[in-house]
Amino acid sequence: MATQDELNQLIDDIAHDINGFIGASIVDLESGLPITSSSTRPDFDLDVASAFNAEIVKNKNRTIQALGLDAHLEDMLLTLDTQLHLLKLIDGGMFLYIAADRQATNLAMLRSSVNRHVAALQA
């Protein structure tokens, strides 16, 4: 399991990589509470976003189970007309939630940065 400093560094590294970074949090899946978070916008409530996104991940996991799929959830993408939201599962019952301005970045860059930094954390 990663330390608090390593989780903080993960978010900082991704924030520096992504143009249009809005905010990110590492979320405990069971409780829906952010373990750490960072935002460039004071009106972007990562506590609320983390809690609701935890429910999305839990529901998707239940769907996978109900369908009897032999698969594990890796990530989920939510596209808004102005933003990209990515939920990336991390070992240990956590996930990374990141929001970015859709006009300032693209999905390939966002996913590449997230995957690279999460892999380094898990190495």
Side-chain angles (χ1 to χ4, degrees), residues 7-8 11-12 15 20-28 31-55 83-87 95-100:
L7 297 176
N8 292 340
I11 289 179
D12 288 346
F21 176 85
I22 295 171
S25 57
I26 305 291
V27 183
D28 175 74
S31 69
L33 295 172
I35 298 166
T36 186
S37 61
S38 175
S39 178
T40 60
R41 297 185 186 172
D43 63 334
F44 196 81
D45 192 337
L46 283 165
D47 290 340
V48 170
S50 296
F52 280 103
N53 283 317
E55 292 305 311
Q83 297 175 5
L84 296 172
H85 292 217
L86 183 64
L87 311 175
F95 68 92
L96 168 67
Y97 162 63
I98 182 166

